């Protein structure tokens, strides 16, 4: 039986894009600093952390899962890489490779908890969030690690003010992830499992294997995010990426990926990341408090889920 991915309607992406452009127009009127080249470059750097996490989260939500531990993974992975460079004098390239493997390994542990013990994704990733964040505080006694080698910081080096290497990494990761979801058998399996788990099993798909690999991919993306964040801040802190899971989930859901799984695309996720980044930047420019910013982000997530539920109900009614 041939499986077909339900990537979402082009019109819906157009609607999200129009909403994003309208948001930019509103903020540009509210703050004269918004459309300045320096601020736009700042937004690009600020969204980089969420960009990679959201790509991994898209795989997870497409299978009908969720991962609340991504921010903790970024923090722990960053601290472990910092210790490798500072205490063990490891070369930057080797450190980054090991960092990616550590992120993937943590994702594998999460995936195994879910697939072997049949734990709900929410419970297992909630537990992992606390375990991994606790480990982040433990490895350095709660202390930050600063000042990394120039060879490591070069990832965020700029050419005429533009972080070229970071942008190249973003393009490559996005292109590879989009190719996997759209053109590979594994990508079709992802959509099939999210669309109807039981039918996927009856079709001969190894659901647990596909699900476990999705969490490995998610962990790998967290490793990339940890590298970019460390290079941008030139530091690793136990509190890094605190709350990043909410930004990633918001970006994915706003981008049109259904929380029920089986429908969505990385193009929508990219637009969602931009929307979250622009909202955060705009609120900072307007001196809106952090507490109110969290209220706005929470309201956005709830609104996006309501829209998704209403759309699915309408679609089911039409089919009936």
């Amino acid at each position: 039986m041939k499986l077909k991915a339900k990537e979402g309607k082009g019109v819906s992406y157009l609607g999200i894009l129009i909403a994003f452009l309208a948001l930019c127009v509103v903020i540009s009127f509210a703050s004269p600093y918004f459309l300045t080249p320096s601020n736009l470059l700042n937004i690009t750097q600020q969204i980089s952390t969420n960009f990679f996490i959201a790509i991994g989260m898209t795989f997870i939500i497409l299978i009908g899962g969720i991962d609340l531990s991504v921010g903790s993974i970024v923090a722990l992975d960053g601290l472990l890489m910092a210790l490798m460079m500072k205490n063990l004098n490891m070369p930057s390239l080797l450190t980054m490779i090991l960092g990616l493997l550590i992120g993937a390994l943590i994702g594998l542990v999460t995936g195994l908890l879910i697939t072997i013990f049949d734990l709900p994704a929410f419970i297992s990733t909630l537990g992992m969030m606390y375990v991994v964040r606790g480990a982040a505080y433990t490895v350095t006694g709660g202390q930050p690690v600063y000042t990394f080698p120039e060879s490591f910081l070069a990832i965020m080096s700029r050419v005429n003010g533009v972080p070229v290497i970071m942008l190249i990494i973003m393009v490559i990761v996005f292109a590879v992830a989009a190719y996997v979801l759209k053109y590979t058998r594994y990508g079709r399996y992802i959509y099939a499992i999210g669309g109807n788990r039981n039918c996927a099993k009856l079709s001969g798909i190894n659901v647990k294997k596909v699900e476990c690999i999705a969490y490995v991919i998610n962990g790998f993306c967290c490793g990339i995010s940890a590298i970019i964040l460390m290079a941008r801040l030139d530091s690793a802190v136990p509190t890094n990426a605190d709350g990043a899971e909410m930004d990633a989930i918001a970006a994915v859901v706003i981008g049109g990926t259904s929380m029920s799984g089986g429908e969505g695309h990385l193009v929508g996720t990219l637009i969602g990341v931009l929307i979250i980044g622009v909202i955060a930047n705009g609120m900072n420019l307007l001196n809106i408090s952090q507490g109110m910013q969290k209220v706005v982000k929470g309201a956005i997530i709830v609104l996006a889920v309501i829209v998704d539920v209403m759309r699915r109900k309408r679609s089911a009614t039409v089919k009936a």
Side-chain angles (χ1 to χ4, degrees), residues 295-307:
V295 170
V296 171
K297 288 179 181 178
I300 289 172
I301 294 175
V302 172
L303 179 61
V305 174
I306 290 174
V307 171

Side-chain angles (χ1 to χ4, degrees), residues 199-228:
C199 284
K201 286 182 179 179
L202 294 175
S203 299
I205 297 174
N206 189 334
V207 172
K208 291 188 176 182
K209 179 180 179 181
V210 172
E211 192 172 13
C212 195
I213 292 174
Y215 280 93
V216 172
I217 292 172
N218 187 46
F220 185 86
C221 289
C222 289
I224 302 174
S225 183
I227 293 171
I228 297 297

